[in-house]
Amino acid sequence: VPESVRAGIDVGGTKIHAMAFAGDGAVIFDKRIVTPKDYGAIVQAVAVLADETGAARIGIGAPGSSSPVNGLWRNANIVVCNGQPFHQDLAQTIGIPIKTENDANCFALSEAFDGAGQGHDVVAFFTIGTGLGGGLVVGGRLIGGAHGEAAEFGHTGLPWPDAEDLPLIPCFCGKNGCTEMYVSGTGLSKDYALRNGVTLTGLEIIRRARAGEDVAIAALTRLQLRFARVCGNLVNMIDPDIIVMGGGLAQLPELVEELSPIAMRYSFSGTAEPKIARAKHGDSSGARGASLLWQQRS
Ligand SMILES: [Zn+2]
């Protein structure tokens, strides 16, 4: 197997996806399997896929991250992995050098490398689906942060809260008013339930908004304004060259094409209009980004 083969595996809640690329970038392996329920079976399944790619080393993306304090996996929605020495177990079972990384960081790396962020120096990435994930790539390098917590945009406070945002919604992380509680499918669902007394999925609320339901349209408008504030706030912190949007809700023009002029109003000058684009690689971004973990610029 040539050294130039790069391979990545994306461990998701429903699917595990492995890809391998030749030196020229051509896809030479692409396989998805159903994620097993049990922790040990997940580790085994990843090891089998890693072997099948034929790579000499591999990158692995998954929800959550390894604690720099005790090495145990944390914050994953694949809850069987939480509290487990996931990285060490994978390394031992796979038997070739591995790197593990948060999945949203892998998406960001993939988009910065040859996706919507290609050619830009500072790429901020959001994945907006059930939750709100983030990633930050500067000069081709993933910014993990001193404690592995950089670009956790979903757990920053919702910027400039107004009467419509109060009282602040408690987050599962223990704080009140995290952005994810407002800007996500879950956030849209909570917002709608608060005003209409009915709990619907984010997708159902979007469907109703498209069908002309006033309460749903208002909820979608609040989602847009809140996300515009998040992007304006991000401009005031790092002023990224481009903001790339992935995840299910990134299909909404309200959160991509229509967002820049609204976000601009929240920049300090009021005139900094961020470039916002939709992710290019869709659901293969995780495996693509994981395959780049060994070859980031350092
Ligand atoms: Zn939180």
Side-chain angles (χ1 to χ4, degrees):
V1 174
E3 269 294 313
S4 58
V5 169
R6 59 180 169 89
I9 299 180
D10 179 35
V11 183
T14 55
K15 291 269 164 43
I16 302 178
H17 181 205
M19 292 184 87
F21 302 84
D24 63 359
V27 177
I28 53 173
F29 182 83
D30 189 344
K31 184 173 176 183
R32 285 179 162 88
I33 62 163
V34 173
T35 307
K37 298 268 179 284
D38 159 78
Y39 172 71
I42 291 173
V43 172
Q44 283 300 331
V46 174
V48 168
L49 284 171
D51 189 53
E52 287 180 44
T53 65
R57 57 188 189 180
I58 200 156
I60 297 165
S65 65
S66 223
S67 162
V69 179
N70 57 21
L72 300 181
W73 205 257
R74 58 184 180 175
N75 300 336
N77 58 7
I78 307 174
V79 291
V80 293
C81 294
N82 289 331
Q84 300 282 355
F86 191 39
H87 177 95
Q88 294 89 321
D89 287 344
L90 286 170
Q92 207 161 49
T93 312
I94 292 172
I96 57 172
I98 70 162
K99 284 188 180 183
T100 51
E101 185 54 77
N102 170 262
D103 55 356
N105 282 348
C106 292
F107 303 155
L109 195 55
S110 165
E111 289 297 326
F113 178 70
D114 61 358
Q118 187 176 10
H120 294 278
D121 188 39
V122 179
V123 180
F125 177 81
F126 287 99
T127 177
I128 175 167
T130 311
L132 179 68
L136 182 62
V137 178
V138 178
R141 197 167 75 88
L142 196 54
I143 305 299
H147 309 89
E149 302 197 28
E152 288 291 358
F153 301 135
H155 299 277
T156 57
L158 182 72
W160 304 293
D162 61 25
E164 305 238 62
D165 308 319
L166 301 173
L168 293 174
I169 299 174
C171 180
F172 63 85
C173 77
K175 273 82 84 182
N176 293 330
C178 283
T179 295
E180 178 168 308
M181 294 297 106
Y182 297 88
V183 180
S184 62
T186 306
L188 182 59
S189 175
K190 283 178 187 290
D191 180 274
Y192 185 90
L194 203 64
R195 285 160 180 91
N196 212 24
V198 188
T199 302
L200 301 174
T201 64
L203 291 178
E204 173 60 17
I205 296 162
I206 292 160
R207 199 192 60 75
R208 290 188 179 205
R210 296 295 182 247
E213 186 192 289
D214 289 341
V215 189
I217 292 170
L220 199 51
T221 301
R222 279 189 296 275
L223 176 70
Q224 182 185 45
L225 290 174
R226 286 164 177 162
F227 189 53
R229 271 145 53 190
V230 171
C231 290
N233 197 43
L234 191 59
V235 167
N236 295 347
M237 288 192 280
I238 57 172
D239 200 358
D241 293 306
I242 189 165
I243 296 171
V244 180
M245 293 289 300
L249 294 192
Q251 295 310 314
L252 296 172
E254 284 89 342
L255 302 185
V256 184
E257 286 83 357
E258 297 173 15
L259 201 75
S260 293
I262 311 172
M264 177 178 77
R265 304 204 298 254
Y266 295 96
S267 68
F268 184 38
S269 68
T271 62
E273 186 168 349
K275 191 187 286 284
I276 301 176
R278 187 170 290 113
K280 180 177 164 190
H281 290 306
D283 68 356
S284 72
S285 245
R288 285 176 173 275
S291 79
L292 296 165
L293 290 171
W294 283 97
Q295 56 170 228
Q296 294 178 70
R297 270 169 245 154
S298 53

Short mmCIF file of all heavy atoms in Angstrom, two decimals, residues 155 171 173 178, ligand 1:
data_model
loop_
_atom_site.label_atom_id
_atom_site.label_comp_id
_atom_site.label_asym_id
_atom_site.label_seq_id
_atom_site.Cartn_x
_atom_site.Cartn_y
_atom_site.Cartn_z
N HIS A 155 -22.15 26.18 22.28
CA HIS A 155 -22.18 26.41 23.73
C HIS A 155 -21.52 27.73 24.11
O HIS A 155 -20.98 27.89 25.21
CB HIS A 155 -21.61 25.21 24.47
CG HIS A 155 -22.43 24.00 24.17
ND1 HIS A 155 -23.61 23.71 24.84
CD2 HIS A 155 -22.32 23.09 23.17
CE1 HIS A 155 -24.16 22.65 24.28
NE2 HIS A 155 -23.40 22.25 23.27
N CYS A 171 -29.44 24.75 29.15
CA CYS A 171 -28.80 23.82 28.22
C CYS A 171 -28.40 22.55 28.98
O CYS A 171 -28.14 22.59 30.18
CB CYS A 171 -27.56 24.49 27.62
SG CYS A 171 -26.68 23.45 26.44
N CYS A 173 -25.66 21.29 29.02
CA CYS A 173 -24.29 21.43 29.52
C CYS A 173 -24.25 22.09 30.89
O CYS A 173 -23.19 22.19 31.50
CB CYS A 173 -23.43 22.19 28.52
SG CYS A 173 -23.69 23.98 28.53
N CYS A 178 -27.37 28.90 26.11
CA CYS A 178 -26.43 28.49 25.06
C CYS A 178 -27.09 28.65 23.68
O CYS A 178 -28.28 28.38 23.50
CB CYS A 178 -26.03 27.02 25.23
SG CYS A 178 -24.82 26.78 26.54
ZN ZN B 1 -24.58 24.48 26.51
#
